[in-house]
Amino acid sequence: ERLTVAGALQAESYAVPGSTSLHGRELENLRGAVLDDPLRALQSLPAATATDDFYSQFAVRGNPFHYLGMVFDGVPTQYLLHSVKGITDGGSIAMINSDTLGSVSLLPGSYPQRTGRRMGAQIDLTTREGDRDQFRGRAGLSGTSAGFLVEGPLAGRKGTWLASVRRSYLDYLIKRIDPEAGFAFGFVDAQAKVVYDLTPKHQVSITGLGGRAVFDEGDPNIGPNEIRKGISRAWLTSLSWRYLPSPRVAITQRVFSTGLRFNNDNDARATIDAARFSEFGWRLDGSFAVSPRTVVEFGGDAQRLSGENLLVRQISPTSGLVTLNSFDQQTSAASVYGQVRFGVGSRVTLTPGARVDRWNQTPTTTTSPWVNGEVRLSERMRLRAGSGIYRQFPELDQVYGVHGGGLDLKPERAVHVDAGIEYTLPHETRLLLNAYSRNERDVLWTTGGETRRLPGGGIAAGAFDAPWVNTLRGQARGIEVVARREAADGFSGWAGYAYGRLRYTNTQTGERFWADADQRHTVTLYGNYRLSSRTSVSSRFRYGSNYPIAGYIGPPQPSLGTPQIFDGRPAFEGLVSERNTLRLPAYSRLDVRADHAFNWSGRRLVLFVDVANVLNHTNLRNS
């Protein structure tokens, strides 16, 4: 029923140490029937850690989602999530219909920096084209939404079109799961893609994606600084032109726009938090096959970034609303990159590259080199290694927001070093061992922003407006072991284990603490068994030793008394002078799924049962 051709993206996901690409049945099973979220499929990979089931965001090798770069059809974006800004105990869902995707890849380190400007890993999401043969339609129900997708040929099969719409009924489910919940959360999103071949050498495509999420608080007894209604909107549009002047040259140009806008009102319908961030840019990506064993890639971009934010609060019971922060700023950025992939003999492949970035907000010009290599030790064994410098520039709200650090902020910097061995076993099975090291410096931190206990016994209150400063240095180390079988029939899946640690040092104070997303042990198991061409069963298990309880929190002082124990946890904790000393209880979750397809007269009906958290394990999250 499906033919998958391995392209450049999948090839790169195998060439970069520790990288993985999901597509087809793996993506369908791992995205989850409850939420239908492609980002949650990546949470099952050993390099990723996620212990909060309400959020799509996850960490990679200790770096939180803020440091991950997301690329959608060649366009970098950070906004394609349904969420409510300003809610501590909220959640999120990716604003992308999984049925429109061809593949989802995670590149955890030492990858080519075509888009760049992120210190951590990269997520690549690639949409597929519509059907060139005939009109097709699909309707589906997930645990949270109903989705519709239609596609077909265009202009005598010279092009294709594809469109999808999703509408949630998550607010109904929340009230069914927790009748005491007074809030409601719902979303709607739409996606479209049109591809047209002008000539055999020229192809144009248009992609559009937009969504809206609404949060309603039903509790009438909320304070003036709490959100009664929050509305969030995000979008991405792209117009691309691919030119193939010869079989050895390919050039793709894109004009794109992406952004986010949200508005939160209090019980009096007064705006207490509002913002709009947008990016408009142009990209060029090209490749030139100098010879069968040498390929040159090049490109660059130019972007215009704008942002505005309004933060209003009531700071005392007798005062009115006070504007704590307001800014409306614009800046620009540009970059160029290039890399060469060439073979040395028949067993060695090297890929050096570099990019140059100009960031005008905090006037900075940087150079970020990288190199990847592969050595075929034998027919069954390959050695891969890579290293590079990765930089992340301050966001507009980090410069001008309530914690604004000003124009003197420097880009955050990380040096990645990765090495891996792949050994091919019989029966379409591969064994992968990866080791990594990442040294970070100039990491942004708000020193003094958290309440803590002083060594002498006093209490230091956290400053609400503690500014961002480049003060942290970090060291991340770890290994990942994966055994994976990819087969068309029978059993396919993987078993993975990862050990990692990330510790920071505050260069201003000398303080050392474990990162908020530091998880030592991670175990992931996934298996799918095809009983027939129409029936399959699958299961997924994830275990994590879990993150620290973020903040200066620890055992209470004896003068506070001994806390009672409820469900194995103390009723309260105390303030301490060391950060991130306690950890959340271990996370674990087992999901199972079975599906069967019925085919008749060109139609197909798939029925499935998906049971989440079979063992009913209670997982706690930072709050």
Side-chain angles (χ1 to χ4, degrees):
E1 297 176 339
R2 180 178 303 192
L3 175 66
T4 300
V5 179
L9 179 61
Q10 186 175 359
E12 183 162 275
S13 71
Y14 286 109
V16 175
S19 302
T20 306
S21 179
L22 301 177
H23 50 84
R25 185 166 292 274
E26 289 178 343
L27 179 57
E28 182 178 352
N29 290 338
L30 293 172
R31 69 187 183 182
V34 176
L35 293 171
D36 182 20
D37 189 337
L39 291 184
R40 294 175 192 264
L42 295 176
Q43 294 179 1
S44 298
L45 300 179
T49 59
T51 63
D52 190 335
D53 290 334
F54 288 101
Y55 281 92
S56 292
Q57 292 96 316
F58 55 90
V60 176
R61 296 176 174 177
N63 277 150
F65 200 79
H66 169 70
Y67 290 114
L68 277 58
M70 188 161 64
V71 181
F72 184 83
D73 276 355
V75 176
T77 180
Q78 55 181 315
Y79 304 115
L80 302 185
L81 290 170
H82 290 299
S83 63
V84 180
K85 307 300 179 183
I87 298 291
T88 303
D89 299 329
S92 62
I93 298 175
M95 204 178 71
I96 303 165
N97 187 342
S98 301
D99 291 331
T100 66
L101 294 175
S103 66
V104 180
S105 297
L106 176 65
L107 311 176
S110 299
Y111 53 87
Q113 298 184 65
R114 297 182 181 89
T115 54
R117 302 196 184 116
R118 276 295 182 267
M119 191 175 70
Q122 179 171 300
I123 301 168
D124 280 325
L125 301 108
T126 303
T127 59
R128 60 182 180 84
E129 292 187 8
D131 195 300
R132 286 185 178 254
D133 294 326
Q134 61 179 323
F135 171 84
R136 294 182 184 272
R138 176 183 298 182
L141 294 176
S142 73
T144 58
S145 62
F148 302 90
L149 183 146
V150 289
E151 58 184 304
L154 185 68
R157 300 183 180 179
K158 294 187 66 177
T160 68
W161 62 276
L162 179 150
S164 75
V165 177
R166 291 192 309 173
R167 181 74 168 89
S168 76
Y169 38 80
L170 187 59
D171 49 350
Y172 171 78
L173 289 178
I174 290 174
K175 293 185 180 299
R176 293 291 295 175
I177 294 172
D178 184 5
E180 301 299 323
F183 65 90
F185 176 78
F187 65 86
V188 61
D189 55 54
Q191 185 176 340
K193 183 175 183 177
V194 177
V195 178
Y196 186 72
D197 301 329
L198 297 173
T199 70
K201 295 184 176 182
H202 297 271
Q203 183 187 80
V204 295
S205 66
I206 301 175
T207 300
L209 197 159
R212 179 176 183 265
V214 179
F215 170 85
D216 276 304
E217 176 60 72
D219 185 357
N221 300 314
I222 61 173
N225 293 331
E226 296 180 270
I227 299 174
R228 182 195 66 85
K229 186 170 187 177
I231 300 177
S232 175
R233 300 177 178 87
W235 73 90
L236 183 146
T237 58
S238 173
L239 170 63
S240 68
W241 166 42
R242 190 182 69 188
Y243 175 43
L244 307 174
S246 74
R248 297 194 300 168
V249 179
I251 298 175
T252 301
Q253 298 187 69
R254 296 179 176 90
V255 178
F256 64 90
S257 173
T258 182
L260 165 73
R261 182 176 62 190
F262 68 87
N263 191 92
N264 296 332
D265 296 340
N266 66 4
D267 57 336
R269 289 179 167 78
T271 298
I272 57 175
D273 199 357
R276 177 187 174 94
F277 298 97
S278 63
E279 301 176 16
F280 179 79
W282 164 84
R283 284 192 58 83
L284 181 144
D285 297 280
S287 65
F288 172 47
V290 179
S291 70
R293 298 186 61 82
T294 304
V295 178
V296 177
E297 295 185 57
F298 57 90
D301 63 26
Q303 289 179 259
R304 184 69 177 173
L305 302 94
S306 61
E308 53 184 289
N309 179 249
L310 175 66
L311 181 64
V312 178
R313 290 291 186 271
Q314 180 178 325
I315 58 177
S316 71
T318 58
S319 72
L321 294 176
V322 177
T323 299
L324 299 180
N325 183 255
S326 177
F327 70 83
D328 184 355
Q329 297 289 334
Q330 292 185 339
T331 189
S332 59
S335 72
V336 294
Y337 77 87
Q339 76 169 10
V340 181
R341 183 171 64 249
F342 60 91
V344 181
S346 60
R347 293 180 176 271
V348 179
T349 302
L350 294 176
T351 310
R355 73 180 277 122
V356 177
D357 281 287
R358 174 63 182 178
W359 191 257
N360 289 326
Q361 177 183 253
T362 53
T364 308
T365 302
T366 61
T367 302
S368 304
W370 70 86
V371 62
N372 280 283
E374 178 179 294
V375 180
R376 293 178 56 196
L377 301 176
S378 67
E379 290 299 320
R380 291 182 175 271
M381 184 179 294
R382 297 171 185 264
L383 172 65
R384 299 188 179 100
S387 182
I389 299 175
Y390 296 74
R391 305 177 194 273
Q392 184 156 334
F393 298 87
E395 306 285 353
L396 285 169
D397 57 347
Q398 291 178 321
V399 176
Y400 302 105
V402 67
H403 296 284
L407 299 177
D408 294 329
L409 292 180
K410 298 182 291 185
E412 299 168 279
R413 180 180 185 270
V415 178
H416 292 231
V417 178
D418 292 82
I421 295 177
E422 175 187 317
Y423 187 77
T424 303
L425 299 170
H427 307 294
E428 300 166 301
T429 303
R430 295 182 299 135
L431 180 64
L432 301 99
L433 171 63
N434 302 295
Y436 67 89
S437 170
R438 188 179 68 249
N439 290 327
E440 303 174 0
R441 76 179 192 190
D442 297 326
V443 177
L444 291 172
W445 187 250
T446 53
T447 301
E450 296 174 311
T451 300
R452 67 193 186 280
R453 183 179 180 86
L454 298 174
I459 300 296
F464 174 76
D465 57 351
W468 292 106
V469 290
N470 297 102
T471 187
L472 295 187
R473 287 180 176 266
Q475 287 189 334
R477 304 286 188 272
I479 59 170
E480 298 153 1
V481 183
V482 183
R484 182 170 183 174
R485 184 174 192 265
E486 297 175 281
D489 294 311
F491 176 83
S492 62
W494 64 77
Y497 167 76
Y499 172 83
R501 50 192 292 164
L502 172 57
R503 190 175 182 90
Y504 283 113
T505 300
N506 190 323
T507 58
Q508 283 186 337
T509 64
E511 179 186 16
R512 302 185 70 195
F513 57 89
W514 299 109
D516 290 354
D518 174 73
Q519 179 167 284
R520 302 297 168 76
H521 305 282
T522 304
V523 177
T524 61
L525 305 174
Y526 164 71
N528 178 78
Y529 190 80
R530 293 190 59 133
L531 300 173
S532 69
S533 61
R534 299 184 180 184
T535 306
S536 68
V537 294
S538 64
S539 65
R540 171 179 60 171
F541 175 76
R542 292 191 293 131
Y543 167 87
S545 55
N546 223 323
Y547 302 153
I549 299 177
Y552 294 87
I553 300 171
Q557 297 297 312
S559 60
L560 298 177
T562 301
Q564 298 182 30
I565 304 299
F566 295 97
D567 295 327
R569 302 287 300 171
F572 62 89
E573 306 285 0
L575 288 174
V576 295
S577 57
E578 295 184 23
R579 191 174 188 276
N580 290 359
T581 57
L582 296 182
R583 290 187 177 261
L584 294 167
Y587 171 95
S588 72
R589 174 172 159 173
L590 172 65
D591 303 337
V592 297
R593 173 188 171 100
D595 58 70
H596 182 75
F598 300 88
N599 299 328
W600 75 97
S601 303
R603 294 173 175 81
R604 186 168 184 255
L605 172 67
V606 179
L607 298 181
F608 63 86
V609 56
D610 194 294
V611 184
N613 196 16
V614 174
L615 302 179
N616 197 30
H617 186 266
T618 299
N619 293 309
L620 303 183
R621 62 173 178 169
N622 273 311
S623 170

